[in-house]
Amino acid sequence: MKRIPAFVLALTLPALVGWVDFGTTIEREEPAFGKEFQGISLRIQTEKVEFEQDMPEEVVVHIRNATDRTRLTMQEPGEGRRFALYLVVADEDGNSLFSRNLLDKLPDNIFARERIPPQASCELIRVPYNQLEVAKVEKYLDGLPLFEEGQRMTNAGWMRPRIYHVKAVLISTLPDKRPDFVAASEVWRILLRPKSAERMAEDEKGKLMKQYLAKMNEGAYGGIGVSAQLAALGEDAVEPLIEMAERTGAGAKDEAEAARIRESRIWAIVTLCNTGSKRAEDYILQRLHDPIDFGDLAFLAWHSQGFRSPRVTAAGRQLAEDIACGRELPWEKRRGAESRRHGMGCFEFLCKHFISIKQSITDATAAAAINFPNPELTGYALMAWQPQSGEQALGVLLPLVRRGNIHPNLRKLAVATLAKFHEQQGFPKYVREATAEEQDQVWLDAALWLNRNGKLNDGDMLTFLRQFVLVVRKENTATQRDVMLALRRFGATADYPVKTGQLDPVGDWVKTWRWALRESKLPAKEATAFLCQQMRTREEIPDVVRRALLLELKQALGEEFPLKAKTAEDIDLDEDWPTCGQWLVEKGYFGKGK
């Protein structure tokens, strides 16, 4: 069987829907009849929507007849007409299993006897969930599921703990024809929880634990199938799970065996975090500070929230701060200073941990994270941070605002956080659904508000505007105008070229971004990326813009750039624009990473 690579596992595990995670729950909805077919509709329900494996929770199906007839179909019965009622159990991955025809178990088949109560509803059948047998169906006969002779059925009450969608389907058909009647209920969601240790006899518990551990030992695919069941065994499962979590794979006969051991170790970690055991908590905290393998850190950081423990929260909060601030990390004492780099590998999952439990990382962590080169990690930190006052928020976010040119998602997070405290004082409102152009304007308005309220001085505003010029969208002329007006005020001492007179939306904006390129002293690679981005458009680019782009590209790329002209007046756009554009394409400047 093909294995899940460890790095893929790290990315997907927190979002797996095929496994009962900590906090997984569903709410009971009001049962409702499904869509009518020929006046007939079905309703399905259970009393509880969350129940354990092997519980006799009854699935009840009702039928409603909105017509005056007493037979199922509007068509004549016909010789050999068949009636079938199935329960379909589907998981959230889209896999569906069918029961056998439940009408075969009814002593009184109201469909065959044409005795459906007219203009009424009634209970059709009750089936204890732990007596419901289902199987995957590959073939159909006359539109009805065809079960092979001796086909192995699965007890629905012992299926893997997870969320399932259950539906009742009523079908009628004649031999050698497609069904002429199909009615289905609405989907009824249930959460099948692991059978608790309290409901097991000792011999059953021992047998199941041995079976589950063997399955988990198979690796990733085995672990996902039994993790929740093992966790439900609580303290009894801790010792063997710790033994599995301690395996390193050293001495494995081949890479496949080493991978299997690594995967089973990860699932042992995940399962320990859901046992609720104090001993398991002690072990996970130990490994969070000194992992068997650094690839385990992401799982330790994320899944340790399963303990719902103040100790785990405090440890995770401190570790996140130490990582962000570049301090010595606990495992360095044994692994050396070089191993500090592995901290960033779990920082994202520490942040997700805090987002999930609605707790906050420290101010020091957030303040350090805004300097990360990776904006995605900075974003996770800001989402996991919950400042308690406007001044606290400003203290961390002002350095981020001063930069002007930051990732759009970071802008949104900064505006949302500051608006929470300052919107009543006139700070721009955060609108989640704002367009890209509206977000540009809000970011500018936010900086101007901070300046008016003494939070950003005029020098900070000049720095902001100089950088912001380079990210304002080329089609966003309204914000471009406001930027130029602001620069007339704040850029007066910095040789900003558009000082007076009526603004020329095209020509003056060209002067503005050329000035910003010069004053920002961008590296050639970043300057080239900006210039190439200005060339990416389906619209006609004005001549003044094209000439300026070619001259700035020559400045950034040097002699290898094929433009011969030295001034704007010397440029022959009919020849130079396509020639230089083709050269940029051939050199890969319009490809990824350029």
Side-chain angles (χ1 to χ4, degrees):
M1 181 179 289
K2 186 177 180 182
R3 294 191 174 276
I4 303 175
F7 74 91
V8 174
L9 206 60
L11 293 173
T12 58
L13 261 183
L16 280 172
V17 294
W19 170 63
V20 179
D21 201 351
F22 31 78
T24 301
T25 186
I26 59 174
E27 293 185 5
R28 190 179 194 277
E29 299 177 351
E30 191 63 29
F33 282 95
K35 186 177 180 181
E36 283 189 3
F37 187 86
Q38 297 182 10
I40 303 294
S41 56
L42 299 178
R43 185 180 72 199
I44 186 172
Q45 66 191 80
T46 56
E47 184 63 29
K48 298 176 182 177
V49 292
E50 297 184 12
F51 50 90
E52 293 183 8
Q53 292 172 309
D54 197 30
M55 289 283 282
E57 182 69 26
E58 288 188 320
V59 182
V60 184
V61 181
H62 287 82
I63 186 170
R64 182 174 65 188
N65 182 4
T67 74
D68 292 325
R69 68 177 189 272
T70 59
R71 67 170 181 263
L72 182 63
T73 66
M74 295 173 63
Q75 296 81 10
E76 289 298 321
E79 186 176 350
R81 176 173 288 279
R82 298 174 61 192
F83 304 94
L85 175 67
Y86 302 100
L87 288 184
V88 184
V89 180
D91 60 36
E92 292 192 314
D93 296 330
N95 304 305
S96 297
L97 303 177
F98 285 77
S99 70
R100 294 187 186 273
N101 185 0
L102 298 178
L103 297 180
D104 292 342
K105 296 184 177 182
L106 288 181
D108 183 19
N109 188 331
I110 60 174
F111 304 115
R113 297 196 303 116
E114 299 186 0
R115 290 190 179 180
I116 306 174
Q119 298 291 344
S121 61
C122 65
E123 182 179 305
L124 186 56
I125 196 169
R126 286 176 175 260
V127 183
Y129 199 74
N130 64 347
Q131 294 181 22
L132 179 66
E133 293 191 325
V134 292
K136 187 174 182 179
V137 174
E138 303 285 355
K139 300 177 181 179
Y140 295 83
L141 179 64
D142 299 338
L144 302 179
L146 180 62
F147 293 91
E148 303 291 344
E149 186 175 347
Q151 181 166 347
R152 182 175 176 272
M153 306 293 286
T154 298
N155 186 312
W158 274 108
M159 289 169 63
R160 180 194 308 170
R162 65 186 303 178
I163 293 173
Y164 290 99
H165 296 175
V166 187
K167 177 184 285 192
V169 181
L170 181 61
I171 304 175
S172 183
T173 184
L174 289 168
D176 301 322
K177 293 190 176 182
R178 295 169 62 88
D180 54 13
F181 182 95
V182 180
S185 70
E186 295 289 340
V187 165
W188 186 254
R189 296 174 76 230
I190 64 167
L191 172 55
L192 188 63
R193 293 198 172 278
K195 186 173 182 178
S196 59
E198 293 76 14
R199 293 180 53 232
M200 295 183 189
E202 286 301 316
D203 58 341
E204 180 186 11
K205 189 189 305 181
K207 178 183 176 182
L208 286 176
M209 186 182 300
K210 184 177 180 181
Q211 175 185 323
Y212 294 154
L213 288 168
K215 192 70 176 174
M216 184 171 286
N217 197 45
E218 295 176 4
Y221 291 96
I224 193 174
V226 298
S227 178
Q229 294 97 308
L230 269 172
L233 297 177
E235 195 67 45
D236 292 330
V238 170
E239 183 60 36
L241 284 171
I242 289 178
E243 290 179 8
M244 189 176 291
E246 286 289 293
R247 298 179 65 191
T248 65
K253 64 182 180 181
D254 53 30
E255 179 54 36
E257 183 181 3
R260 178 179 58 76
I261 292 171
R262 184 168 58 248
E263 292 162 3
S264 61
R265 182 180 69 248
I266 288 169
W267 272 109
I269 289 169
V270 171
T271 307
L272 283 164
C273 291
N274 284 303
T275 60
S277 161
K278 173 68 166 54
R279 186 155 163 255
E281 182 182 332
D282 292 340
Y283 175 77
I284 292 299
L285 283 173
Q286 172 198 341
R287 285 300 171 214
L288 186 61
H289 293 103
D290 187 17
I292 293 288
D293 183 271
F294 286 115
D296 300 346
L297 277 172
F299 301 95
L300 290 160
W302 167 257
H303 291 284
S304 55
Q305 66 180 282
F307 291 110
R308 298 173 178 84
S309 160
R311 281 202 312 152
V312 170
T313 300
R317 184 178 286 120
Q318 186 60 55
L319 182 58
E321 182 176 312
D322 291 343
I323 292 168
C325 295
R327 299 173 189 151
E328 181 183 47
L329 299 179
W331 54 78
E332 290 184 45
K333 293 180 176 62
R334 191 165 69 88
R335 306 290 187 92
E338 188 275 337
S339 65
R340 185 176 303 181
R341 62 186 176 87
H342 294 288
M344 280 298 177
C346 77
F347 184 83
E348 172 187 335
F349 293 92
L350 285 169
C351 290
K352 288 180 175 179
H353 176 145
F354 279 86
I355 294 166
S356 177
I357 65 174
K358 296 179 172 59
Q359 294 279 331
S360 179
I361 58 174
T362 66
D363 289 357
T365 306
I370 67 170
N371 296 312
F372 289 171
N374 182 343
E376 184 177 10
L377 280 184
T378 301
Y380 278 120
L382 293 182
M383 287 189 285
W385 177 53
Q386 300 174 14
Q388 298 304 303
S389 70
E391 289 305 311
Q392 190 181 357
L394 284 168
V396 169
L397 293 175
L398 279 179
L400 194 67
V401 177
R402 288 188 187 103
R403 295 177 201 166
N405 180 0
I406 62 173
H407 193 283
N409 288 344
L410 297 185
R411 287 193 244 162
K412 291 171 69 174
L413 288 167
V415 168
T417 302
L418 292 172
K420 176 182 175 183
F421 297 102
H422 299 290
E423 189 178 326
Q424 296 301 318
Q425 291 77 48
F427 187 85
K429 183 179 181 180
Y430 170 67
V431 180
R432 184 184 179 90
E433 296 79 17
T435 65
E437 289 74 18
E438 289 169 340
Q439 290 172 31
D440 280 349
Q441 187 67 49
V442 166
W443 188 233
L444 173 62
D445 292 344
L448 291 170
W449 183 92
L450 291 168
N451 174 260
R452 289 194 302 272
N453 287 270
K455 307 302 181 182
L456 288 179
N457 61 38
D458 288 359
D460 293 334
M461 272 305 303
L462 178 58
T463 300
F464 170 90
L465 291 166
R466 189 170 57 222
Q467 297 296 326
F468 185 52
V469 165
L470 303 177
V471 291
V472 177
R473 286 162 177 77
K474 51 183 174 286
E475 63 273 11
N476 192 355
T477 55
T479 301
Q480 290 171 7
R481 176 181 178 278
D482 288 348
V483 169
M484 289 189 284
L485 290 173
L487 277 167
R488 281 185 171 178
R489 172 188 169 192
F490 296 104
T493 60
D495 296 326
Y496 178 62
V498 187
K499 291 182 168 48
T500 58
Q502 184 174 352
L503 288 174
D504 173 6
V506 178
D508 286 344
W509 185 245
V510 169
K511 295 175 185 177
T512 298
W513 59 252
R514 293 189 74 180
W515 167 85
L517 278 176
R518 184 178 68 253
E519 292 294 315
S520 298
K521 296 181 174 58
L522 281 184
K525 182 177 180 180
E526 293 182 30
T528 303
F530 166 78
L531 295 164
C532 289
Q533 183 61 35
Q534 301 305 302
M535 298 173 74
R536 290 177 182 269
T537 178
R538 296 178 182 274
E539 305 298 326
E540 182 70 24
I541 301 177
D543 289 352
V544 64
V545 179
R546 292 196 288 169
R547 288 189 170 93
L549 287 170
L550 291 176
L551 288 172
E552 292 297 335
L553 282 165
K554 182 70 173 182
Q555 180 71 26
L557 295 172
E559 289 303 315
E560 66 171 336
F561 190 65
L563 181 69
K564 304 300 183 186
K566 303 296 184 184
T567 66
E569 292 75 16
D570 295 335
I571 294 175
D572 180 352
L573 287 175
D574 290 336
E575 180 178 340
D576 293 336
W577 182 255
T579 299
C580 293
Q582 183 61 35
W583 183 89
L584 290 167
V585 170
E586 291 172 357
K587 295 295 183 179
Y589 284 100
F590 288 106
K592 292 182 179 179
K594 291 290 185 180

PDB file of all heavy atoms in Angstrom, residues 81-101:
ATOM      1  N   ARG A  81     -43.343  -6.513  -9.455  1.00  0.00           N
ATOM      2  CA  ARG A  81     -42.856  -5.233  -8.905  1.00  0.00           C
ATOM      3  C   ARG A  81     -42.177  -5.466  -7.557  1.00  0.00           C
ATOM      4  O   ARG A  81     -42.662  -6.226  -6.725  1.00  0.00           O
ATOM      5  CB  ARG A  81     -43.997  -4.227  -8.765  1.00  0.00           C
ATOM      6  CG  ARG A  81     -43.555  -2.921  -8.108  1.00  0.00           C
ATOM      7  CD  ARG A  81     -44.646  -1.872  -8.120  1.00  0.00           C
ATOM      8  NE  ARG A  81     -44.881  -1.318  -9.450  1.00  0.00           N
ATOM      9  CZ  ARG A  81     -44.135  -0.377  -9.995  1.00  0.00           C
ATOM     10  NH1 ARG A  81     -43.079   0.106  -9.338  1.00  0.00           N
ATOM     11  NH2 ARG A  81     -44.417   0.085 -11.199  1.00  0.00           N
ATOM     12  N   ARG A  82     -41.069  -4.801  -7.390  1.00  0.00           N
ATOM     13  CA  ARG A  82     -40.294  -4.963  -6.151  1.00  0.00           C
ATOM     14  C   ARG A  82     -40.249  -3.638  -5.399  1.00  0.00           C
ATOM     15  O   ARG A  82     -40.263  -2.547  -5.995  1.00  0.00           O
ATOM     16  CB  ARG A  82     -38.867  -5.421  -6.471  1.00  0.00           C
ATOM     17  CG  ARG A  82     -38.813  -6.775  -7.161  1.00  0.00           C
ATOM     18  CD  ARG A  82     -37.395  -7.104  -7.586  1.00  0.00           C
ATOM     19  NE  ARG A  82     -36.491  -7.178  -6.437  1.00  0.00           N
ATOM     20  CZ  ARG A  82     -35.162  -7.221  -6.528  1.00  0.00           C
ATOM     21  NH1 ARG A  82     -34.587  -7.171  -7.717  1.00  0.00           N
ATOM     22  NH2 ARG A  82     -34.420  -7.295  -5.440  1.00  0.00           N
ATOM     23  N   PHE A  83     -40.171  -3.757  -4.076  1.00  0.00           N
ATOM     24  CA  PHE A  83     -40.065  -2.601  -3.200  1.00  0.00           C
ATOM     25  C   PHE A  83     -38.833  -2.798  -2.322  1.00  0.00           C
ATOM     26  O   PHE A  83     -38.566  -3.902  -1.834  1.00  0.00           O
ATOM     27  CB  PHE A  83     -41.307  -2.454  -2.321  1.00  0.00           C
ATOM     28  CG  PHE A  83     -42.595  -2.378  -3.098  1.00  0.00           C
ATOM     29  CD1 PHE A  83     -43.349  -3.524  -3.334  1.00  0.00           C
ATOM     30  CD2 PHE A  83     -43.052  -1.164  -3.593  1.00  0.00           C
ATOM     31  CE1 PHE A  83     -44.533  -3.461  -4.045  1.00  0.00           C
ATOM     32  CE2 PHE A  83     -44.238  -1.100  -4.314  1.00  0.00           C
ATOM     33  CZ  PHE A  83     -44.982  -2.245  -4.540  1.00  0.00           C
ATOM     34  N   ALA A  84     -38.083  -1.732  -2.106  1.00  0.00           N
ATOM     35  CA  ALA A  84     -36.864  -1.855  -1.300  1.00  0.00           C
ATOM     36  C   ALA A  84     -36.630  -0.584  -0.492  1.00  0.00           C
ATOM     37  O   ALA A  84     -36.845   0.532  -0.988  1.00  0.00           O
ATOM     38  CB  ALA A  84     -35.654  -2.147  -2.184  1.00  0.00           C
ATOM     39  N   LEU A  85     -36.203  -0.759   0.745  1.00  0.00           N
ATOM     40  CA  LEU A  85     -35.850   0.363   1.612  1.00  0.00           C
ATOM     41  C   LEU A  85     -34.413   0.148   2.095  1.00  0.00           C
ATOM     42  O   LEU A  85     -34.109  -0.893   2.683  1.00  0.00           O
ATOM     43  CB  LEU A  85     -36.800   0.447   2.809  1.00  0.00           C
ATOM     44  CG  LEU A  85     -36.463   1.502   3.864  1.00  0.00           C
ATOM     45  CD1 LEU A  85     -36.645   2.905   3.288  1.00  0.00           C
ATOM     46  CD2 LEU A  85     -37.321   1.312   5.116  1.00  0.00           C
ATOM     47  N   TYR A  86     -33.559   1.123   1.829  1.00  0.00           N
ATOM     48  CA  TYR A  86     -32.157   1.023   2.224  1.00  0.00           C
ATOM     49  C   TYR A  86     -31.788   2.165   3.162  1.00  0.00           C
ATOM     50  O   TYR A  86     -32.300   3.291   3.022  1.00  0.00           O
ATOM     51  CB  TYR A  86     -31.241   1.094   0.989  1.00  0.00           C
ATOM     52  CG  TYR A  86     -31.504   0.031  -0.032  1.00  0.00           C
ATOM     53  CD1 TYR A  86     -32.259   0.329  -1.173  1.00  0.00           C
ATOM     54  CD2 TYR A  86     -31.016  -1.259   0.122  1.00  0.00           C
ATOM     55  CE1 TYR A  86     -32.513  -0.640  -2.128  1.00  0.00           C
ATOM     56  CE2 TYR A  86     -31.267  -2.233  -0.835  1.00  0.00           C
ATOM     57  CZ  TYR A  86     -32.018  -1.926  -1.949  1.00  0.00           C
ATOM     58  OH  TYR A  86     -32.271  -2.882  -2.891  1.00  0.00           O
ATOM     59  N   LEU A  87     -30.915   1.874   4.083  1.00  0.00           N
ATOM     60  CA  LEU A  87     -30.233   2.927   4.819  1.00  0.00           C
ATOM     61  C   LEU A  87     -28.839   3.055   4.221  1.00  0.00           C
ATOM     62  O   LEU A  87     -28.125   2.059   4.074  1.00  0.00           O
ATOM     63  CB  LEU A  87     -30.144   2.596   6.319  1.00  0.00           C
ATOM     64  CG  LEU A  87     -31.463   2.676   7.109  1.00  0.00           C
ATOM     65  CD1 LEU A  87     -31.201   2.429   8.585  1.00  0.00           C
ATOM     66  CD2 LEU A  87     -32.143   4.031   6.915  1.00  0.00           C
ATOM     67  N   VAL A  88     -28.476   4.264   3.862  1.00  0.00           N
ATOM     68  CA  VAL A  88     -27.168   4.536   3.279  1.00  0.00           C
ATOM     69  C   VAL A  88     -26.342   5.297   4.313  1.00  0.00           C
ATOM     70  O   VAL A  88     -26.763   6.350   4.796  1.00  0.00           O
ATOM     71  CB  VAL A  88     -27.287   5.358   1.983  1.00  0.00           C
ATOM     72  CG1 VAL A  88     -25.915   5.534   1.343  1.00  0.00           C
ATOM     73  CG2 VAL A  88     -28.259   4.692   1.015  1.00  0.00           C
ATOM     74  N   VAL A  89     -25.184   4.744   4.659  1.00  0.00           N
ATOM     75  CA  VAL A  89     -24.293   5.362   5.643  1.00  0.00           C
ATOM     76  C   VAL A  89     -23.075   5.882   4.895  1.00  0.00           C
ATOM     77  O   VAL A  89     -22.324   5.108   4.301  1.00  0.00           O
ATOM     78  CB  VAL A  89     -23.877   4.350   6.734  1.00  0.00           C
ATOM     79  CG1 VAL A  89     -22.946   5.014   7.747  1.00  0.00           C
ATOM     80  CG2 VAL A  89     -25.112   3.782   7.425  1.00  0.00           C
ATOM     81  N   ALA A  90     -22.878   7.202   4.921  1.00  0.00           N
ATOM     82  CA  ALA A  90     -21.767   7.818   4.185  1.00  0.00           C
ATOM     83  C   ALA A  90     -20.873   8.576   5.150  1.00  0.00           C
ATOM     84  O   ALA A  90     -21.355   9.227   6.083  1.00  0.00           O
ATOM     85  CB  ALA A  90     -22.294   8.765   3.113  1.00  0.00           C
ATOM     86  N   ASP A  91     -19.554   8.478   4.929  1.00  0.00           N
ATOM     87  CA  ASP A  91     -18.641   9.280   5.746  1.00  0.00           C
ATOM     88  C   ASP A  91     -18.388  10.611   5.049  1.00  0.00           C
ATOM     89  O   ASP A  91     -18.866  10.857   3.936  1.00  0.00           O
ATOM     90  CB  ASP A  91     -17.333   8.528   6.025  1.00  0.00           C
ATOM     91  CG  ASP A  91     -16.576   8.162   4.758  1.00  0.00           C
ATOM     92  OD1 ASP A  91     -16.598   8.958   3.799  1.00  0.00           O
ATOM     93  OD2 ASP A  91     -15.959   7.081   4.718  1.00  0.00           O
ATOM     94  N   GLU A  92     -17.620  11.484   5.696  1.00  0.00           N
ATOM     95  CA  GLU A  92     -17.417  12.825   5.155  1.00  0.00           C
ATOM     96  C   GLU A  92     -16.405  12.845   4.006  1.00  0.00           C
ATOM     97  O   GLU A  92     -16.136  13.896   3.428  1.00  0.00           O
ATOM     98  CB  GLU A  92     -17.006  13.783   6.270  1.00  0.00           C
ATOM     99  CG  GLU A  92     -18.137  14.016   7.263  1.00  0.00           C
ATOM    100  CD  GLU A  92     -17.858  15.169   8.188  1.00  0.00           C
ATOM    101  OE1 GLU A  92     -16.735  15.255   8.714  1.00  0.00           O
ATOM    102  OE2 GLU A  92     -18.765  15.990   8.384  1.00  0.00           O
ATOM    103  N   ASP A  93     -15.827  11.683   3.704  1.00  0.00           N
ATOM    104  CA  ASP A  93     -14.960  11.578   2.535  1.00  0.00           C
ATOM    105  C   ASP A  93     -15.741  11.174   1.295  1.00  0.00           C
ATOM    106  O   ASP A  93     -15.174  11.054   0.209  1.00  0.00           O
ATOM    107  CB  ASP A  93     -13.845  10.555   2.782  1.00  0.00           C
ATOM    108  CG  ASP A  93     -12.923  11.002   3.905  1.00  0.00           C
ATOM    109  OD1 ASP A  93     -12.768  12.218   4.088  1.00  0.00           O
ATOM    110  OD2 ASP A  93     -12.366  10.133   4.594  1.00  0.00           O
ATOM    111  N   GLY A  94     -17.048  10.918   1.466  1.00  0.00           N
ATOM    112  CA  GLY A  94     -17.883  10.574   0.324  1.00  0.00           C
ATOM    113  C   GLY A  94     -18.041   9.085   0.082  1.00  0.00           C
ATOM    114  O   GLY A  94     -18.646   8.680  -0.913  1.00  0.00           O
ATOM    115  N   ASN A  95     -17.522   8.232   0.975  1.00  0.00           N
ATOM    116  CA  ASN A  95     -17.681   6.785   0.823  1.00  0.00           C
ATOM    117  C   ASN A  95     -19.052   6.365   1.348  1.00  0.00           C
ATOM    118  O   ASN A  95     -19.412   6.712   2.478  1.00  0.00           O
ATOM    119  CB  ASN A  95     -16.583   6.051   1.598  1.00  0.00           C
ATOM    120  CG  ASN A  95     -15.195   6.496   1.166  1.00  0.00           C
ATOM    121  OD1 ASN A  95     -14.870   6.438  -0.012  1.00  0.00           O
ATOM    122  ND2 ASN A  95     -14.386   6.944   2.110  1.00  0.00           N
ATOM    123  N   SER A  96     -19.804   5.627   0.557  1.00  0.00           N
ATOM    124  CA  SER A  96     -21.170   5.239   0.928  1.00  0.00           C
ATOM    125  C   SER A  96     -21.292   3.731   1.045  1.00  0.00           C
ATOM    126  O   SER A  96     -20.792   2.975   0.199  1.00  0.00           O
ATOM    127  CB  SER A  96     -22.177   5.742  -0.116  1.00  0.00           C
ATOM    128  OG  SER A  96     -22.185   7.156  -0.166  1.00  0.00           O
ATOM    129  N   LEU A  97     -21.987   3.292   2.100  1.00  0.00           N
ATOM    130  CA  LEU A  97     -22.268   1.877   2.332  1.00  0.00           C
ATOM    131  C   LEU A  97     -23.778   1.695   2.413  1.00  0.00           C
ATOM    132  O   LEU A  97     -24.479   2.508   3.018  1.00  0.00           O
ATOM    133  CB  LEU A  97     -21.608   1.397   3.624  1.00  0.00           C
ATOM    134  CG  LEU A  97     -20.084   1.571   3.729  1.00  0.00           C
ATOM    135  CD1 LEU A  97     -19.592   1.109   5.102  1.00  0.00           C
ATOM    136  CD2 LEU A  97     -19.373   0.795   2.630  1.00  0.00           C
ATOM    137  N   PHE A  98     -24.275   0.598   1.816  1.00  0.00           N
ATOM    138  CA  PHE A  98     -25.710   0.330   1.767  1.00  0.00           C
ATOM    139  C   PHE A  98     -26.068  -0.815   2.709  1.00  0.00           C
ATOM    140  O   PHE A  98     -25.330  -1.798   2.827  1.00  0.00           O
ATOM    141  CB  PHE A  98     -26.138  -0.072   0.348  1.00  0.00           C
ATOM    142  CG  PHE A  98     -26.199   1.070  -0.623  1.00  0.00           C
ATOM    143  CD1 PHE A  98     -25.037   1.606  -1.169  1.00  0.00           C
ATOM    144  CD2 PHE A  98     -27.421   1.615  -0.999  1.00  0.00           C
ATOM    145  CE1 PHE A  98     -25.083   2.644  -2.073  1.00  0.00           C
ATOM    146  CE2 PHE A  98     -27.480   2.657  -1.906  1.00  0.00           C
ATOM    147  CZ  PHE A  98     -26.310   3.176  -2.447  1.00  0.00           C
ATOM    148  N   SER A  99     -27.219  -0.678   3.346  1.00  0.00           N
ATOM    149  CA  SER A  99     -27.776  -1.831   4.062  1.00  0.00           C
ATOM    150  C   SER A  99     -28.440  -2.749   3.047  1.00  0.00           C
ATOM    151  O   SER A  99     -28.644  -2.384   1.883  1.00  0.00           O
ATOM    152  CB  SER A  99     -28.819  -1.366   5.084  1.00  0.00           C
ATOM    153  OG  SER A  99     -29.987  -0.899   4.405  1.00  0.00           O
ATOM    154  N   ARG A 100     -28.765  -3.955   3.486  1.00  0.00           N
ATOM    155  CA  ARG A 100     -29.630  -4.793   2.653  1.00  0.00           C
ATOM    156  C   ARG A 100     -31.050  -4.234   2.716  1.00  0.00           C
ATOM    157  O   ARG A 100     -31.338  -3.318   3.492  1.00  0.00           O
ATOM    158  CB  ARG A 100     -29.589  -6.247   3.143  1.00  0.00           C
ATOM    159  CG  ARG A 100     -28.213  -6.903   2.955  1.00  0.00           C
ATOM    160  CD  ARG A 100     -28.283  -8.368   3.299  1.00  0.00           C
ATOM    161  NE  ARG A 100     -26.967  -9.013   3.262  1.00  0.00           N
ATOM    162  CZ  ARG A 100     -26.424  -9.530   2.168  1.00  0.00           C
ATOM    163  NH1 ARG A 100     -27.091  -9.471   1.017  1.00  0.00           N
ATOM    164  NH2 ARG A 100     -25.234 -10.103   2.206  1.00  0.00           N
ATOM    165  N   ASN A 101     -31.947  -4.788   1.915  1.00  0.00           N
ATOM    166  CA  ASN A 101     -33.332  -4.318   1.870  1.00  0.00           C
ATOM    167  C   ASN A 101     -33.995  -4.538   3.226  1.00  0.00           C
ATOM    168  O   ASN A 101     -34.237  -5.669   3.642  1.00  0.00           O
ATOM    169  CB  ASN A 101     -34.090  -5.056   0.775  1.00  0.00           C
ATOM    170  CG  ASN A 101     -35.508  -4.524   0.603  1.00  0.00           C
ATOM    171  OD1 ASN A 101     -35.935  -3.611   1.304  1.00  0.00           O
ATOM    172  ND2 ASN A 101     -36.231  -5.117  -0.347  1.00  0.00           N
TER     173      ASN A 101
END
